[in-house]
């Protein structure tokens, strides 16, 4: 068992910060100590196997990205990151746990799909991983499967109110799954967009000859997101199920979540880096087919309507609780599937490598505090999805998933710079950000240090999750 001492840094948890040394014994944190502590009169640094000097740097719990889609079969192709490439890229960016989505299309058996995803991930992941389960058609057998999956550590189920004929569940199916979630304590995650309205607007747009990528955004208006968010909240209210709305991008949808939370309902929401920084005008509306790089759902929103500012505000006020990436990368050759019809562009953006750096800019600009950064990137994802104690905190007994972050460092994002995701473009090309991920430990093993990757496929372990620890 290797012992490691991280000395001289400022340890930052969601609850506060302070100068401290972190002692790691094997895979776990053994102690958080006053700087320069000795052990029975002996210099601690001299008695451990490895010392990491974090002077002038932050020591934070490893990032948890609670929304990724590695190798996802979608839009007639597969997301381009495998579990191996995607988790390596995540580690480069200071993320030490992902929660990915098992996909069940209509007619498929959720338990068989779960076994398939376990097989895909086993031996491939460089960091720890858990699973949510997507349910497309809610069969009676799916309801039984939900109990079995909870026992397997899959304590959250994603349903879709959009993508008719692919993922969409109707309101009756949604209520059935919510009733089951209310009884077994699991979380319903919702893709909240009104699919029927969107399908109609898409047909009308294509009929008019409006086929460019920007029409992806214009046919998925904020009203479709806000209406579906409101409906999902009402159905959750009816059934008593906890509800977590994924990839919130419209300020009006965030407002619906805030209203429900003010009423004391177990309703939560995440947003993603793309909804904090990118816009319909600047990226999705880029000339020619370039906008395809930023086709994702929910779509990038208009900057003129101030959705991005509102997402930051909602993160500050806890109207939204955390930030995940919805990492679902595709290469340009795959995006080309929609060169004549935006509705055929595979939906997704790759950001798993950059979430911590991008969110740290919020600390630099004063949008959020240092502690809130840790909270929305690590601690709340751990609590929301039943991993807290083991993950999401620097404390004795927790897994030694740790990041040494240099606030004086600088990160240039883009191809040929900091890009390890398996995609031939970066949605973040040219972003120059303050801060730098220097060293990353995953369960006590150094996986990134000194600009080099030291991890390996297969180091990552499945995280059997508990029920949410965030419910009121
Ligand atoms: N949205 C995306 O952009 N990609 C994957 C699925 C989703 O809901
Ligand atoms: Zn979704
Ligand atoms: Zn997603």
């Amino acid at each position: 068992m290797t012992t490691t001492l991280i000395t001289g840094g400022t340890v930052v948890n969601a609850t506060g910060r302070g100068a401290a040394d972190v002692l790691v014994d094997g895979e776990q944190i053994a102690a958080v100590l006053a700087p320069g502590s000795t052990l029975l009169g002996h210099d601690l640094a001299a008695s451990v196997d490895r010392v990491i000097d974090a002077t002038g740097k932050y020591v934070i719990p490893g990032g948890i990205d609670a929304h990724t889609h590695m190798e996802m079969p979608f839009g007639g192709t597969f997301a381009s990151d495998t579990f191996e490439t995607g988790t390596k890229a995540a580690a480069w960016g200071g993320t030490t746990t992902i929660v990915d989505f098992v996909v069940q299309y209509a007619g498929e058996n959720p338990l068989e799909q779960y076994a398939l995803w376990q097989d895909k991930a086993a031996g491939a992941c460089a960091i720890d991983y858990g699973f949510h389960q997507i349910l497309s058609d809610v069969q009676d057998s799916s309801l039984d499967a939900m109990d079995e999956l909870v026992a397997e550590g899959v304590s959250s189920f994603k349903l879709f109110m959009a993508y008719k004929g692919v993922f969409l569940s109707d309101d009756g199916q949604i209520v059935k799954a919510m009733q089951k979630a209310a009884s077994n304590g699991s979380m319903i995650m919702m893709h909240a967009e009104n699919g029927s309205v969107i399908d109609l607007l898409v047909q009308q747009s294509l009929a008019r000859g409006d086929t460019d990528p920007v029409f992806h955004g214009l046919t998925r208006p904020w009203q479709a997101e806000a209406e579906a968010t409101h409906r999902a909240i009402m159905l959750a209210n009816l059934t008593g199920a906890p509800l977590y709305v994924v990839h919130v991008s419209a300020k009006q949808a965030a407002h619906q979540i805030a209203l429900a939370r003010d009423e004391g309902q177990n309703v939560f929401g995440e947003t993603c880096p793309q909804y904090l920084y990118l816009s319909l005008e600047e990226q999705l509306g880029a000339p020619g087919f370039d906008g395809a790089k930023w086709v994702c759902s929910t779509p990038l929103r208009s900057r003129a309507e101030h959705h991005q500012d509102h997402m930051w505000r909602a993160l500050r006020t806890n109207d939204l609780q955390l930030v995940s990436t919805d990492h679902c990368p595709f290469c340009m050759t795959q995006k080309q599937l929609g060169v004549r019809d935006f509705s055929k562009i595979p939906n997704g953006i790759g950001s798993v490598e950059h979430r911590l750096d991008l969110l740290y800019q919020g600390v630099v600009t004063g949008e959020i505090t240092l502690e809130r950064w840790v909270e929305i990137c690590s601690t709340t994802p751990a609590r929301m999805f039943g991993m807290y104690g083991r993950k999401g905190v620097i404390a004795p007994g927790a897994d030694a998933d740790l990041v040494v972050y240099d606030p004086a460092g600088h990160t240039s994002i883009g191809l040929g710079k900091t890009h390890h995701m398996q995609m031939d473009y970066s949605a973040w090309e040219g972003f120059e950000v303050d801060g730098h991920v220097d060293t990353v430990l995953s369960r006590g093993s150094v996986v990134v240090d000194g600009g080099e990757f030291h991890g390996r496929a297969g180091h990552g372990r499945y995280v059997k999750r508990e029920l949410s620890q965030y419910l009121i």
Side-chain angles (χ1 to χ4, degrees):
M1 292 252 273
T2 307
T3 49
T4 305
L5 187 69
I6 306 177
T7 58
T10 300
V11 170
V12 187
N13 273 312
T15 46
R17 69 185 90 172
D21 293 347
V22 181
L23 179 64
V24 174
D25 188 9
E27 298 198 344
Q28 265 94 40
I29 296 169
V32 181
L33 303 156
S37 292
T38 54
L39 183 65
L40 302 174
H42 295 288
D43 178 11
L44 207 47
S47 39
V48 295
D49 300 313
R50 178 175 49 206
V51 176
I52 297 172
D53 182 6
T55 305
K57 299 175 186 173
Y58 299 131
V59 183
I60 61 170
I64 300 176
D65 193 338
H67 188 157
T68 68
H69 299 282
M70 306 303 173
E71 312 182 24
M72 183 194 192
F74 189 48
T77 183
F78 287 84
S80 57
D81 261 321
T82 62
F83 278 96
E84 178 171 343
T85 62
T87 55
K88 285 182 174 172
W92 272 106
T95 286
T96 51
T97 307
I98 59 164
V99 191
D100 205 87
F101 287 81
V102 175
V103 177
Q104 180 248 337
Y105 284 110
E108 292 175 346
N109 177 322
L111 294 174
E112 284 173 14
Q113 294 305 107
Y114 167 66
L116 213 61
W117 255 252
Q118 282 284 13
D119 284 350
K120 288 201 233 190
C125 293
I127 54 167
D128 289 353
Y129 59 97
F131 289 118
H132 312 285
Q133 174 89 35
I134 287 175
L135 295 175
S136 290
D137 57 345
V138 185
Q139 316 149 22
D140 287 345
S141 59
S142 307
L143 299 176
D144 296 334
M146 285 172 75
D147 288 331
E148 291 187 46
L149 286 161
V150 168
E152 288 284 326
V154 181
S155 50
S156 38
F157 299 89
K158 184 179 178 191
L159 304 173
F160 288 75
M161 301 170 98
Y163 298 117
K164 200 184 245 165
V166 182
F167 285 129
L168 183 140
S169 294
D170 67 28
D171 291 351
Q173 290 174 319
I174 289 170
V175 166
K176 273 203 278 185
M178 284 182 167
Q179 287 168 336
K180 172 55 81 176
S183 77
N184 72 13
S186 60
M187 179 81 80
I188 294 295
M189 306 173 78
M190 190 62 78
H191 180 120
E193 285 187 297
N194 185 319
S196 305
V197 168
I198 289 168
D199 289 348
L200 173 72
L201 296 180
V202 168
Q203 280 167 23
Q204 291 174 339
S205 179
L206 294 174
R208 280 195 307 270
D210 292 334
T211 60
D212 283 349
V214 73
F215 294 101
H216 170 79
L218 296 174
T219 56
R220 302 181 94 94
W222 63 260
Q223 291 90 341
E225 184 185 344
E227 184 280 327
T229 302
H230 175 74
R231 185 158 32 106
I233 289 168
M234 287 301 120
L235 300 181
N237 190 298
L238 175 72
T239 55
L243 175 70
Y244 175 95
V245 184
V246 294
H247 46 56
V248 175
S249 62
K251 63 181 177 192
Q252 296 84 354
H255 185 56
Q256 294 299 324
I257 292 168
L259 286 176
R261 290 176 56 72
D262 288 350
E263 292 294 322
Q265 199 178 328
N266 269 314
V267 174
F268 314 101
E270 70 173 17
T271 190
C272 310
Q274 52 270 33
Y275 308 124
L276 293 164
Y277 287 105
L278 311 178
S279 73
L280 184 134
E281 294 93 337
E282 293 146 302
Q283 280 79 25
L284 198 51
F289 190 63
D290 223 33
K293 293 175 178 171
W294 297 280
V295 164
C296 60
S297 297
T298 57
L300 302 187
R301 298 287 174 200
S302 163
R303 196 175 296 283
E305 293 172 359
H306 303 292
H307 297 280
Q308 296 81 0
D309 299 341
H310 192 87
M311 293 301 118
W312 281 113
R313 197 181 97 175
L315 285 173
R316 269 198 304 282
T317 58
N318 209 36
D319 285 350
L320 295 176
Q321 289 69 47
L322 61 96
V323 175
S324 310
T325 56
D326 196 6
H327 179 76
C328 193
F330 296 100
C331 291
M332 273 323 268
T333 41
Q334 298 173 291
K335 294 274 183 183
Q336 290 284 343
L337 288 168
V339 74
R340 270 179 274 282
D341 170 355
F342 67 84
S343 72
K344 301 217 162 37
I345 300 170
N347 289 195
I349 285 185
S351 312
V352 77
E353 190 169 349
H354 304 308
R355 186 180 60 120
L356 256 57
D357 283 327
L358 289 169
L359 267 293
Y360 182 69
Q361 298 322 291
V363 180
V364 174
T365 58
E367 294 281 2
I368 52 173
T369 65
L370 196 57
E371 286 80 3
R372 183 67 178 157
W373 174 55
V374 168
E375 190 168 34
I376 62 183
C377 290
S378 179
T379 309
T380 299
R383 289 181 64 201
M384 189 69 74
F385 294 111
M387 296 178 275
Y388 187 71
R390 196 167 151 196
K391 307 284 187 194
V393 62
I394 298 181
D399 283 352
D401 293 348
L402 296 162
V403 176
V404 178
Y405 197 82
D406 183 2
H410 181 87
T411 306
S412 301
I413 303 180
L415 289 190
K417 291 172 182 161
T418 49
H419 185 99
H420 302 88
M421 299 176 285
Q422 188 155 270
M423 52 194 303
D424 56 4
Y425 74 95
S426 169
W428 303 96
E429 191 68 46
F431 268 65
E432 298 286 335
V433 296
D434 290 335
H436 189 262
V437 172
D438 277 7
T439 306
V440 182
L441 278 75
S442 164
R443 292 194 337 273
S445 297
V446 172
V447 291
V448 173
D449 188 44
E452 285 185 17
F453 191 75
H454 301 280
R456 62 172 177 85
H459 164 80
R461 255 189 232 146
Y462 175 62
V463 182
K464 193 170 172 184
R465 296 184 293 115
E466 309 290 327
L467 298 179
S468 176
Q469 298 149 307
Y470 206 85
L471 305 189
I472 47 176

